[in-house]
Amino acid sequence: MQTTSKPDYREPSVLQAAAPLIALIITLAASVYLFGEDSSYGPNQIALWVAGGIAIMIGFYNDYSWADMEEGIKEGIAVALGAMLIILAVGSLIGTWLLSGTVPTMIYYGLELLNPSLFYAATALICGIVALSIGSSWTTAATIGVALMGVSAGMELSPLITAGAVVSGAYFGDKMSPLSDTTNLAPAVGGSELFEHIRYMVYTAGPAFLIALALFLILGLNADATTSLIELERMQLELQNTYNIGWEMLVPLAILLYLAATGKPALPTVFFGALIGGLWAVLFQGELITNIAGGDASAVASLKVVWLALSDGVAINTGAEKLDSLLSGGGMSSMLNTIWLILSAMTFGAVMEKLGLLERLIRGVLGMVKSTGSLIGATLFTCFGANVLTADQYMAIVIPGRMYREEYIRRGLDPRVLSRTLEDSGTLTSALIPWNTCGAFMMGVLAVSPLEYAPFAFFNWLTPLIALVYGYTGFRILRLAPQEKPAT
């Protein structure tokens, strides 16, 4: 009987392993320089393809066949397929929740928490509530964050501390929201389940945010707020004029949270929440739907508006530009660019992994890793380094995730430990780097450099520090049961 021997591939050199990453760094830097905050909407994807192409050429040189590399790409994309489906469902959820009044009601009651004597802490809390409801730190900072920066200036409060509070709150809400793309991406790369990942993040994100709130309270003790909150009160009035606001609008949120808390699968839970949002819009926002439909109050017109909210989102016109920006968007189509970026990133990472290039790069690092704490520390540092070098938070999640995933399994660590660590550094440190797309965006909307607000973005740097402490102490570090460990 004839047997087929395993192909004899060449061992990649350090230079070969580094070449695609160097190309990626150069092309991503050029992308950010040329396109700024728009670099994630196409240019970064091309950079990933170019770097991936260089890796493929190295693969051919090392005697890999295209079939080998194509199989690796398929396996890499399959890892993130579940997350991409959830992200599409999240787009629909955002669309119907904007239409139903669920998100506007959360924003309305969040604004009522603002107290001039507790401005910094209230700013972080409000941004946290809004980001949690919409799953976007960028949208939160560009709308509520901008308004709060204006109020801060009128009160002659510190713009640096205010910006730090906005970023802290926006990233806390984004990180803990099932609507966030990075919150979906991290468990997909790490191999955990979305809602289990979010529950596990509470142990690092919760204490970090509570400490941040305490620090903002201390900083605000001597703040002298003398200006009225006319701008925010106007936003509340516009919300009331556009929507029926009431606690009953939060029922879709309560249903979603109940399903998540009872362990229901993420994809059907999120899409069911989107459908409930559409039903709530028909029941409680009839006048708004009629206006969107051009005055047509028929059942068919209402169905079309809800259907379009699921697919393409909504465009709300309140007469206030900032509020319109906050309340418009959603739909599956709004997530297509994120899907494009994830596909490109996973393709690049899969090729690097299949060809042994990532393993070659981290071999030296893992040689110095002796404990769980040092492994988590290495992951945190690699995520931060990826944010610095690649200028993109998606890269800071995908690349370290693929680099360390097998090592976490080999050491018997639950996948949630990796996915949480990826977010603790990959997501949160991105906003602290001026040339990162996240840092550049925050600087653009808040008019404060990340280097200036970073000392006051307490949540963003406290969380990785807490994760590091947990790693070395073993506190809340989950391990796989013996029967769950892969066979050796």
Side-chain angles (χ1 to χ4, degrees), residues 186-201:
V189 174
S192 62
E193 195 274 333
L194 173 62
F195 292 118
E196 290 183 353
H197 165 71
I198 292 174
R199 286 193 290 269
Y200 191 53
M201 284 197 297

Side-chain angles (χ1 to χ4, degrees), residues 175 183 186-204 372 376 379-380 405 408-409 412-424 467 470 475-481 484:
K175 181 177 166 68
T183 304
V189 174
S192 62
E193 195 274 333
L194 173 62
F195 292 118
E196 290 183 353
H197 165 71
I198 292 174
R199 286 193 290 269
Y200 191 53
M201 284 197 297
V202 170
Y203 296 116
T204 52
T372 299
I376 289 176
T379 309
L380 293 168
R405 183 172 178 173
Y408 274 71
I409 294 175
L413 295 171
D414 189 284
R416 284 171 286 181
V417 179
L418 174 58
S419 63
R420 184 180 74 178
T421 305
L422 294 174
E423 282 235 74
D424 286 342
Y470 284 4
F475 182 71
R476 294 295 181 182
I477 300 298
L478 299 178
R479 297 189 178 274
L480 295 170
E484 295 179 293

Side-chain angles (χ1 to χ4, degrees), residues 7 73 130 232 237 260 264 288 293 305 330 352 398:
I73 291 172
V130 174
L232 296 181
L237 181 60
K264 299 300 185 292
L288 175 62
V305 170
M352 292 286 289
V398 172

Side-chain angles (χ1 to χ4, degrees), residues 271-291:
F271 193 66
F272 182 70
L275 296 178
I276 292 295
L279 174 63
W280 241 242
V282 173
L283 293 177
F284 296 102
Q285 308 297 342
E287 184 177 348
L288 175 62
I289 290 178
T290 299
N291 291 336

Side-chain angles (χ1 to χ4, degrees), residues 382-463:
T382 304
C383 289
F384 176 73
N387 267 321
V388 172
L389 295 175
T390 69
D392 190 272
Q393 65 176 346
Y394 297 104
M395 297 297 94
I397 292 174
V398 172
I399 293 176
R402 297 198 68 88
M403 286 171 62
Y404 291 108
R405 183 172 178 173
E406 291 302 318
E407 185 65 18
Y408 274 71
I409 294 175
R410 191 182 71 81
R411 292 172 180 256
L413 295 171
D414 189 284
R416 284 171 286 181
V417 179
L418 174 58
S419 63
R420 184 180 74 178
T421 305
L422 294 174
E423 282 235 74
D424 286 342
S425 183
T427 300
L428 297 186
T429 62
S430 61
L432 307 180
I433 301 163
W435 55 87
N436 190 285
T437 51
C438 296
F441 179 83
M442 293 298 164
M443 181 165 58
V445 299
L446 302 179
V448 178
S449 170
L451 295 179
E452 295 179 303
Y453 69 62
F456 305 104
F458 300 122
F459 173 73
N460 296 64
W461 55 261
L462 278 171
T463 305

